[in-house]
Amino acid sequence: MSKTTDKKFIPSLMNLPLVDSPFFEQIFSQLTLDKDTKKLVKQFAEQGYVIIDDLGIENITETTDRIVKDLTPIYGDKGKVESAWIYHDRIQDAWTFNQDVKKIATSPKIINLLKILYQREPIPFQTLNFKFGTQQSTHSDSIHFSSMPARFMCGVWVALEDIDANNGPLHYYPGSHKLSMFDLNDLGITGSYQNKPYDVYPIYEEFLQSLIEHNGLKKVELYVKKGQALIWAANLLHGGSPVIDKKRTRYSQVTHYYFSDCMYYIPLLSDPFLHRIHLKEVINIMTGKVVDHIYNGEKIEVNPEQYEVERLKYQLLQFQEELEKLRPMAMQFQDELTVLKPQLQTVESELEKLRIQLYDYQTKFQLSEAKNQLIEAELERLRTQLYQS
């Protein structure tokens, strides 16, 4: 069923976030918002980010301190804990076992602001907690998390301690969210069914750096106090600046949000025109339930595991093809080995003879050395007698 049932075009029903709509000013003028909220919405539309001083969480300092205290012993491990993943310097989905992490991810004030910015229900679906600055290259989240319709995704970064130029601050490029959304296909790379997706990721990073230079984008570093937050649009270019003081931590939490009535997928691993779309199973942190995939108001049954099955089938075919290429070479080497085997046996026989000879020479040398010692002793005795007489 189509989202609109009549033939009249309604700007507010476009499949675009409010801040990305070509009719932004018209829709924005019709919203009933206070002065401060209007300012935030305008900045987000123009710059692709806003800084929030107050998360609306009571005793926020105690909350952030507890997160740091509870998670610090876990950093450095690797593997899965309950439903969370630990990757040395980061913990993914700590919300599954830490209520304070969940509290920040589901902050009512943030949820309400996101609802205004995107005019849809926000869906927090992933948390990342960091101990140190990531020093991550500049990137856009839209290649990792995307939706159909596009751009219904954002991130919220919260400082769990004071951040300055020395402990690896976040950096971002204001206004870069207005650039086109690029994926690997735009770079001539087929992203789906990759054995190692991040093998080609440096090409994407180099492309973004060229894009930044070509457009003269200016980098800004985020210096904030504990408890402050940055909200950024899906396509805003951002990353982690170098850690100058290696002894310092940079505790922080990122929450990624989708929005309702979309389909959710990973562009880095997808090629839609080859019918290869890596759909995501999205769990709403607020409810703990799996989110339905919706296309223009219609629920679509999806099976994210099916993509992995197809990918593994594709890998198997690739390996089989490679095996077929290598088999003639293996047969050739086998033939050569058969020819060389008698020669190898002859060489081994000669080596054994040489070992025996070497042993004989060593034995003779040792005997000779013993005789020399006896002769030296006798000579010394004779010298002594000669001197005494």
Side-chain angles (χ1 to χ4, degrees), residues 136-203:
Q136 187 174 2
S137 298
T138 301
H139 63 283
S140 164
D141 283 349
S142 61
I143 199 170
H144 300 283
F145 310 111
S146 195
S147 60
M148 178 54 64
R151 297 180 183 267
F152 279 101
M153 181 268 160
C154 73
V156 177
W157 186 96
V158 178
L160 302 183
E161 65 175 316
D162 293 351
I163 312 295
D164 56 43
N166 295 316
N167 61 342
L170 193 75
H171 69 251
Y172 53 92
Y173 290 84
S176 59
H177 68 303
K178 295 182 179 180
L179 296 170
S180 299
M181 297 178 70
F182 297 98
D183 58 25
L184 295 185
N185 176 59
D186 295 304
L187 308 182
I189 299 171
T190 301
S192 59
Y193 294 178
Q194 298 176 85
N195 294 334
K196 297 180 179 180
Y198 284 91
D199 281 354
V200 298
Y201 198 73
I203 300 175

Coordinates of all heavy atoms in Angstrom, one line a residue, residues 136-203:
Q136 N 40.2 7.5 14.3 CA 39.6 6.9 13.1 C 39.6 7.9 11.9 O 39.3 9.1 12.1 CB 38.1 6.5 13.4 CG 37.4 5.7 12.3 CD 36.1 5.2 12.7 OE1 35.6 5.4 13.8 NE2 35.4 4.4 11.8
S137 N 39.8 7.4 10.7 CA 39.9 8.2 9.6 C 38.5 8.8 9.3 O 37.4 8.2 9.7 CB 40.3 7.4 8.3 OG 41.6 6.9 8.5
T138 N 38.5 9.9 8.6 CA 37.2 10.6 8.3 C 36.3 9.6 7.5 O 36.7 9.0 6.6 CB 37.4 11.9 7.5 OG1 38.3 12.7 8.3 CG2 36.1 12.6 7.2
H139 N 35.0 9.6 7.8 CA 34.1 8.7 7.2 C 32.7 9.3 7.3 O 32.4 10.2 8.0 CB 34.1 7.3 7.8 CG 33.7 7.2 9.2 ND1 34.6 7.6 10.2 CD2 32.6 6.9 9.8 CE1 33.9 7.5 11.4 NE2 32.7 7.0 11.2
S140 N 31.8 8.6 6.6 CA 30.3 8.9 6.7 C 29.6 7.7 7.2 O 29.9 6.6 6.8 CB 29.7 9.3 5.4 OG 28.3 9.3 5.4
D141 N 28.8 7.8 8.2 CA 28.1 6.7 8.8 C 27.1 6.0 7.7 O 26.8 4.9 7.8 CB 27.2 7.1 10.0 CG 28.1 7.2 11.2 OD1 29.2 6.8 11.2 OD2 27.5 7.8 12.2
S142 N 26.8 6.8 6.7 CA 25.9 6.3 5.7 C 26.4 5.1 4.9 O 25.6 4.4 4.3 CB 25.5 7.4 4.7 OG 26.6 7.9 4.0
I143 N 27.7 4.9 4.9 CA 28.2 3.7 4.2 C 28.1 2.4 5.1 O 28.1 1.3 4.6 CB 29.6 3.9 3.7 CG1 29.9 2.8 2.6 CG2 30.6 3.8 4.9 CD1 31.2 3.1 1.9
H144 N 28.0 2.7 6.4 CA 27.8 1.6 7.3 C 26.4 1.3 7.7 O 26.0 0.1 7.9 CB 28.6 1.9 8.6 CG 30.1 2.1 8.4 ND1 31.0 1.1 8.2 CD2 30.8 3.3 8.3 CE1 32.2 1.6 8.0 NE2 32.1 2.9 8.1
F145 N 25.6 2.3 7.9 CA 24.2 2.2 8.3 C 23.4 3.1 7.3 O 23.6 4.3 7.3 CB 24.0 2.6 9.7 CG 24.9 2.0 10.7 CD1 25.8 2.8 11.3 CD2 24.9 0.7 11.0 CE1 26.7 2.3 12.3 CE2 25.7 0.1 12.0 CZ 26.6 0.9 12.6
S146 N 22.5 2.5 6.6 CA 21.6 3.3 5.8 C 20.2 2.8 5.8 O 19.9 1.7 6.4 CB 22.1 3.3 4.3 OG 21.5 4.4 3.6
S147 N 19.3 3.5 5.2 CA 17.9 3.1 5.2 C 17.3 3.4 3.8 O 17.9 4.1 3.0 CB 17.2 3.9 6.3 OG 17.3 5.3 6.0
M148 N 16.1 2.8 3.7 CA 15.3 3.2 2.5 C 13.9 3.5 3.0 O 13.3 2.6 3.6 CB 15.2 2.0 1.5 CG 14.4 2.2 0.3 SD 14.8 3.7 -0.6 CE 16.4 3.3 -1.2
P149 N 13.5 4.8 2.9 CA 14.2 5.9 2.3 C 15.5 6.3 3.0 O 15.7 6.0 4.2 CB 13.1 7.0 2.4 CG 12.3 6.6 3.5 CD 12.2 5.1 3.5
A150 N 16.3 7.0 2.2 CA 17.7 7.3 2.7 C 17.7 8.4 3.7 O 16.7 9.1 3.9 CB 18.6 7.7 1.5
R151 N 18.8 8.5 4.5 CA 19.2 9.5 5.4 C 18.4 9.5 6.7 O 18.6 10.3 7.6 CB 19.0 10.9 4.8 CG 19.9 11.1 3.6 CD 19.7 12.5 3.0 NE 20.6 12.7 1.8 CZ 21.8 13.3 1.8 NH1 22.3 13.6 3.0 NH2 22.5 13.4 0.7
F152 N 17.6 8.5 6.9 CA 16.9 8.3 8.2 C 17.8 7.6 9.2 O 17.5 6.5 9.6 CB 15.5 7.6 8.1 CG 14.5 8.6 7.6 CD1 14.1 8.6 6.3 CD2 13.9 9.5 8.5 CE1 13.1 9.5 5.8 CE2 12.9 10.3 8.0 CZ 12.5 10.4 6.7
M153 N 18.9 8.2 9.5 CA 19.8 7.6 10.5 C 20.7 8.8 11.0 O 20.9 9.8 10.3 CB 20.7 6.6 9.8 CG 21.8 5.9 10.7 SD 23.3 6.8 10.7 CE 24.1 6.1 12.2
C154 N 21.1 8.7 12.3 CA 22.0 9.7 12.9 C 22.7 9.1 14.0 O 22.5 8.0 14.5 CB 21.2 10.9 13.3 SG 20.2 10.6 14.8
G155 N 23.7 9.9 14.5 CA 24.5 9.4 15.7 C 24.5 10.5 16.8 O 24.4 11.7 16.5
V156 N 24.6 10.0 18.0 CA 24.7 10.9 19.1 C 26.0 10.5 19.9 O 26.0 9.4 20.4 CB 23.5 10.9 20.0 CG1 23.7 11.8 21.2 CG2 22.3 11.3 19.2
W157 N 26.9 11.4 20.0 CA 28.2 11.2 20.7 C 28.2 11.9 22.1 O 27.9 13.1 22.1 CB 29.3 11.7 19.9 CG 30.7 11.4 20.3 CD1 31.5 10.3 19.9 CD2 31.5 12.2 21.2 NE1 32.8 10.4 20.5 CE2 32.8 11.5 21.3 CE3 31.3 13.3 21.9 CZ2 33.8 12.0 22.1 CZ3 32.3 13.9 22.7 CH2 33.5 13.2 22.8
V158 N 28.4 11.2 23.2 CA 28.3 11.8 24.5 C 29.7 11.7 25.2 O 30.3 10.6 25.2 CB 27.3 11.1 25.4 CG1 27.2 11.7 26.8 CG2 25.9 11.2 24.7
A159 N 30.2 12.8 25.7 CA 31.5 12.9 26.4 C 31.3 12.3 27.8 O 30.4 12.8 28.6 CB 32.0 14.3 26.5
L160 N 32.0 11.3 28.2 CA 32.0 10.8 29.6 C 33.1 11.3 30.4 O 33.2 10.9 31.6 CB 32.0 9.2 29.5 CG 31.0 8.5 28.7 CD1 31.1 7.0 28.8 CD2 29.6 9.0 29.1
E161 N 33.9 12.2 29.8 CA 34.9 13.0 30.6 C 35.2 14.2 29.7 O 34.7 14.3 28.6 CB 36.1 12.2 30.8 CG 36.9 11.8 29.6 CD 38.2 11.1 29.9 OE1 38.9 11.6 30.8 OE2 38.5 10.1 29.2
D162 N 35.9 15.2 30.2 CA 36.2 16.4 29.5 C 37.1 16.0 28.3 O 38.1 15.2 28.4 CB 37.0 17.4 30.4 CG 36.1 17.9 31.4 OD1 34.8 17.7 31.4 OD2 36.6 18.6 32.3
I163 N 36.9 16.6 27.1 CA 37.6 16.4 25.9 C 38.3 17.6 25.4 O 37.6 18.7 25.3 CB 36.6 15.8 24.8 CG1 35.7 14.7 25.3 CG2 37.5 15.4 23.6 CD1 36.4 13.5 25.8
D164 N 39.6 17.5 25.1 CA 40.3 18.7 24.6 C 41.2 18.2 23.4 O 41.1 17.1 22.9 CB 41.1 19.4 25.6 CG 42.1 18.5 26.4 OD1 42.7 17.6 25.7 OD2 42.2 18.5 27.6
A165 N 42.1 19.1 23.0 CA 42.9 18.8 21.8 C 43.9 17.6 22.0 O 44.4 17.1 21.0 CB 43.6 20.1 21.4
N166 N 44.2 17.3 23.3 CA 45.2 16.4 23.5 C 44.8 14.9 23.7 O 45.6 14.0 23.6 CB 46.0 16.8 24.8 CG 46.7 18.1 24.6 OD1 47.3 18.3 23.6 ND2 46.6 19.0 25.6
N167 N 43.5 14.6 23.9 CA 43.1 13.2 24.2 C 42.2 12.7 23.0 O 41.4 11.8 23.2 CB 42.4 13.1 25.5 CG 41.2 13.9 25.7 OD1 40.9 14.8 24.9 ND2 40.3 13.5 26.6
G168 N 42.5 13.1 21.8 CA 41.9 12.5 20.6 C 40.4 12.9 20.4 O 39.5 12.1 20.4
P169 N 40.1 14.2 20.3 CA 38.8 14.6 20.1 C 38.1 14.2 18.8 O 38.8 13.8 17.9 CB 38.9 16.2 20.1 CG 40.2 16.4 19.6 CD 41.1 15.3 20.1
L170 N 36.8 14.1 18.8 CA 36.1 13.9 17.6 C 36.3 15.1 16.6 O 36.5 16.2 17.1 CB 34.6 13.8 17.9 CG 33.7 13.2 16.8 CD1 33.8 11.7 16.7 CD2 32.2 13.5 17.2
H171 N 36.4 14.9 15.3 CA 36.4 16.0 14.4 C 35.3 15.8 13.4 O 34.8 14.6 13.1 CB 37.7 16.1 13.7 CG 38.1 15.0 12.7 ND1 39.0 14.1 13.0 CD2 37.6 14.7 11.5 CE1 39.1 13.2 12.0 NE2 38.3 13.6 11.1
Y172 N 34.8 16.9 12.8 CA 33.7 16.8 11.8 C 33.9 18.0 10.8 O 34.6 18.9 11.0 CB 32.4 16.8 12.5 CG 32.2 18.0 13.4 CD1 31.6 19.2 13.0 CD2 32.6 17.8 14.8 CE1 31.4 20.2 13.9 CE2 32.4 18.9 15.7 CZ 31.8 20.1 15.2 OH 31.7 21.1 16.1
Y173 N 33.1 17.9 9.7 CA 33.2 18.9 8.6 C 31.8 19.5 8.5 O 30.9 18.9 7.8 CB 33.6 18.3 7.3 CG 35.1 17.9 7.4 CD1 35.5 16.6 7.9 CD2 36.1 18.7 6.9 CE1 36.8 16.3 7.9 CE2 37.4 18.4 6.9 CZ 37.8 17.1 7.4 OH 39.1 16.8 7.5
P174 N 31.5 20.6 9.1 CA 30.2 21.3 9.0 C 29.7 21.4 7.5 O 30.5 21.8 6.7 CB 30.4 22.6 9.6 CG 31.6 22.4 10.6 CD 32.5 21.5 9.9
G175 N 28.5 21.1 7.3 CA 27.9 21.2 6.0 C 28.1 20.0 5.0 O 27.5 20.0 4.0
S176 N 29.0 19.1 5.4 CA 29.3 18.0 4.5 C 28.2 17.0 4.4 O 28.2 16.2 3.4 CB 30.6 17.2 5.1 OG 30.3 16.7 6.4
H177 N 27.2 17.1 5.3 CA 26.0 16.2 5.1 C 25.2 16.5 3.9 O 24.4 15.7 3.4 CB 25.1 16.4 6.4 CG 24.4 17.7 6.4 ND1 25.1 18.9 6.5 CD2 23.1 18.1 6.5 CE1 24.3 19.9 6.5 NE2 23.0 19.4 6.5
K178 N 25.4 17.7 3.3 CA 24.7 18.0 2.0 C 25.3 17.4 0.8 O 24.7 17.5 -0.3 CB 24.6 19.5 1.9 CG 23.8 20.2 3.0 CD 23.7 21.7 2.8 CE 22.9 22.4 3.9 NZ 22.8 23.9 3.7
L179 N 26.5 16.8 0.9 CA 27.1 16.1 -0.2 C 26.2 14.9 -0.6 O 25.4 14.4 0.2 CB 28.5 15.6 0.2 CG 29.5 16.7 0.5 CD1 30.8 16.1 1.0 CD2 29.9 17.5 -0.8
S180 N 26.5 14.4 -1.8 CA 25.8 13.2 -2.2 C 26.2 12.0 -1.3 O 27.3 12.1 -0.7 CB 26.1 12.8 -3.7 OG 25.7 13.9 -4.5
M181 N 25.4 11.0 -1.2 CA 25.8 9.8 -0.4 C 26.5 8.9 -1.4 O 25.9 8.5 -2.4 CB 24.5 9.2 0.2 CG 23.8 10.1 1.2 SD 22.3 9.4 1.9 CE 23.0 8.1 2.9
F182 N 27.7 8.5 -1.0 CA 28.5 7.6 -1.9 C 28.7 6.2 -1.2 O 28.8 6.1 0.0 CB 29.9 8.3 -2.1 CG 29.9 9.6 -2.8 CD1 29.9 10.8 -2.1 CD2 29.8 9.6 -4.2 CE1 29.9 12.0 -2.7 CE2 29.7 10.8 -4.8 CZ 29.8 12.0 -4.1
D183 N 28.7 5.2 -2.1 CA 29.0 3.9 -1.6 C 30.1 3.3 -2.5 O 30.7 4.0 -3.4 CB 27.8 3.0 -1.6 CG 27.1 2.9 -2.9 OD1 27.8 3.1 -4.0 OD2 25.9 2.6 -3.0
L184 N 30.5 2.1 -2.3 CA 31.6 1.5 -3.1 C 31.3 1.4 -4.6 O 32.2 1.5 -5.4 CB 31.9 0.1 -2.5 CG 32.4 0.0 -1.1 CD1 32.8 -1.4 -0.7 CD2 33.6 0.9 -0.9
N185 N 30.1 1.2 -5.0 CA 29.7 1.2 -6.4 C 30.1 2.5 -7.1 O 30.6 2.4 -8.3 CB 28.2 1.0 -6.5 CG 27.8 1.0 -8.0 OD1 28.3 0.2 -8.8 ND2 26.9 2.0 -8.3
D186 N 30.1 3.6 -6.4 CA 30.5 4.9 -7.0 C 32.0 4.9 -7.3 O 32.4 5.7 -8.1 CB 30.1 6.0 -6.1 CG 28.6 6.2 -5.9 OD1 27.9 6.3 -6.9 OD2 28.1 6.2 -4.7
L187 N 32.7 4.0 -6.6 CA 34.2 3.9 -6.8 C 34.5 2.8 -7.7 O 35.7 2.4 -7.8 CB 34.9 3.8 -5.4 CG 34.5 4.8 -4.4 CD1 35.3 4.6 -3.1 CD2 34.7 6.2 -4.9
G188 N 33.5 2.2 -8.3 CA 33.8 1.1 -9.2 C 34.1 -0.2 -8.5 O 34.8 -1.1 -9.1
I189 N 33.6 -0.4 -7.3 CA 33.9 -1.6 -6.5 C 32.6 -2.3 -6.2 O 31.6 -1.7 -5.7 CB 34.6 -1.2 -5.2 CG1 35.9 -0.6 -5.5 CG2 34.8 -2.5 -4.3 CD1 36.6 0.0 -4.2
T190 N 32.5 -3.6 -6.4 CA 31.4 -4.4 -6.0 C 31.5 -4.8 -4.6 O 32.4 -5.6 -4.2 CB 31.3 -5.7 -6.9 OG1 31.2 -5.3 -8.3 CG2 30.0 -6.5 -6.5
G191 N 30.7 -4.2 -3.7 CA 30.8 -4.4 -2.3 C 30.2 -5.7 -1.7 O 30.7 -6.2 -0.7
S192 N 29.2 -6.2 -2.4 CA 28.6 -7.4 -1.8 C 29.4 -8.6 -1.9 O 30.2 -8.8 -2.8 CB 27.2 -7.6 -2.6 OG 27.4 -7.8 -3.9
Y193 N 29.2 -9.5 -1.0 CA 29.8 -10.8 -0.9 C 31.3 -10.7 -0.8 O 32.1 -11.6 -1.2 CB 29.5 -11.7 -2.2 CG 28.0 -12.0 -2.2 CD1 27.5 -12.8 -3.3 CD2 27.1 -11.7 -1.2 CE1 26.2 -13.1 -3.4 CE2 25.8 -12.0 -1.3 CZ 25.3 -12.7 -2.4 OH 24.0 -13.1 -2.5
Q194 N 31.8 -9.7 -0.2 CA 33.3 -9.6 -0.1 C 33.8 -10.5 1.1 O 33.1 -10.7 2.1 CB 33.7 -8.1 0.4 CG 33.4 -7.1 -0.7 CD 33.7 -5.7 -0.1 OE1 34.8 -5.2 -0.2 NE2 32.7 -5.0 0.4
N195 N 34.9 -11.2 0.8 CA 35.5 -12.0 1.9 C 36.0 -11.1 3.0 O 35.8 -11.5 4.2 CB 36.6 -12.8 1.3 CG 36.1 -13.8 0.3 OD1 35.0 -14.3 0.3 ND2 37.0 -14.2 -0.6
K196 N 36.6 -10.0 2.7 CA 37.1 -9.1 3.7 C 36.8 -7.7 3.3 O 37.6 -7.0 2.6 CB 38.7 -9.3 3.8 CG 39.1 -10.7 4.3 CD 40.6 -10.8 4.4 CE 41.0 -12.1 4.9 NZ 42.5 -12.3 5.0
P197 N 35.6 -7.2 3.7 CA 35.1 -5.9 3.2 C 36.0 -4.8 3.5 O 36.1 -3.9 2.6 CB 33.8 -5.7 4.1 CG 33.4 -7.1 4.5 CD 34.7 -7.9 4.6
Y198 N 36.8 -4.8 4.6 CA 37.6 -3.7 4.9 C 39.0 -3.7 4.2 O 39.8 -2.8 4.3 CB 37.8 -3.6 6.4 CG 36.6 -3.0 7.1 CD1 35.6 -3.9 7.5 CD2 36.4 -1.6 7.2 CE1 34.4 -3.4 8.1 CE2 35.2 -1.1 7.8 CZ 34.3 -2.0 8.2 OH 33.1 -1.5 8.8
D199 N 39.2 -4.7 3.3 CA 40.4 -4.7 2.5 C 40.3 -3.5 1.5 O 41.4 -2.9 1.1 CB 40.5 -6.0 1.7 CG 41.1 -7.1 2.6 OD1 41.5 -6.8 3.7 OD2 41.1 -8.2 2.1
V200 N 39.1 -3.1 1.0 CA 39.0 -2.0 0.1 C 38.6 -0.7 0.7 O 38.5 0.3 0.1 CB 37.9 -2.4 -1.0 CG1 38.4 -3.6 -1.8 CG2 36.6 -2.6 -0.4
Y201 N 38.4 -0.8 2.0 CA 38.0 0.4 2.7 C 38.9 1.6 2.6 O 38.5 2.8 2.5 CB 37.7 0.1 4.2 CG 36.8 1.1 4.9 CD1 35.5 1.2 4.7 CD2 37.4 2.0 5.9 CE1 34.7 2.1 5.4 CE2 36.6 2.9 6.5 CZ 35.3 3.0 6.3 OH 34.5 3.9 6.9
P202 N 40.3 1.4 2.6 CA 41.2 2.5 2.4 C 40.9 3.3 1.2 O 41.2 4.5 1.1 CB 42.6 1.8 2.4 CG 42.4 0.6 3.2 CD 41.0 0.1 2.9
I203 N 40.4 2.6 0.1 CA 40.1 3.3 -1.1 C 39.0 4.3 -0.9 O 39.1 5.5 -1.3 CB 39.7 2.4 -2.3 CG1 40.9 1.4 -2.5 CG2 39.4 3.1 -3.5 CD1 40.5 0.3 -3.5

